[in-house]
Amino acid sequence: MKAPKYIFKTIVGSQAYGTNTDTSDVDYKGVFVQNPIEILTFHYKEQIEVSKDEMYFEVRRFLQLLQSANPT
């Protein structure tokens, strides 16, 4: 599997809302574009969790979340 193309990355959680403390970690979420060959060969991944603090949604899943007004 090729490395995904990340098209958007942002800080979320307490850092984004200004409620962080000195011990708060930094959480990231973003959007990626998956290789078309992987989608066509049934290797579609709707999200990638890099770590517990960093997650990316594939464009199609991201648009589904937007359509349903999901704040995630």
Side-chain angles (χ1 to χ4, degrees), residues 5-66:
K5 295 179 183 177
Y6 298 106
I7 59 174
F8 181 74
K9 180 179 181 179
T10 190
I11 296 173
V12 297
S14 63
Q15 297 283 342
Y17 297 115
T19 57
N20 57 305
T21 65
D22 292 339
T23 59
S24 295
D25 61 353
V26 180
D27 301 314
Y28 298 97
K29 285 193 180 177
V31 179
F32 73 96
V33 175
Q34 192 167 11
N35 183 324
I37 295 299
E38 293 169 352
I39 295 170
L40 294 172
T41 57
F42 305 106
H43 291 100
Y44 175 74
K45 290 187 178 195
E46 60 180 34
Q47 67 186 45
I48 297 173
E49 191 168 333
V50 176
S51 70
K52 70 178 191 79
D53 299 322
E54 188 170 355
M55 182 180 5
Y56 298 90
F57 296 105
E58 205 279 329
V59 169
R60 181 171 75 181
R61 179 65 179 143
F62 177 70
L63 293 174
Q64 289 170 340
L65 292 170
L66 284 177

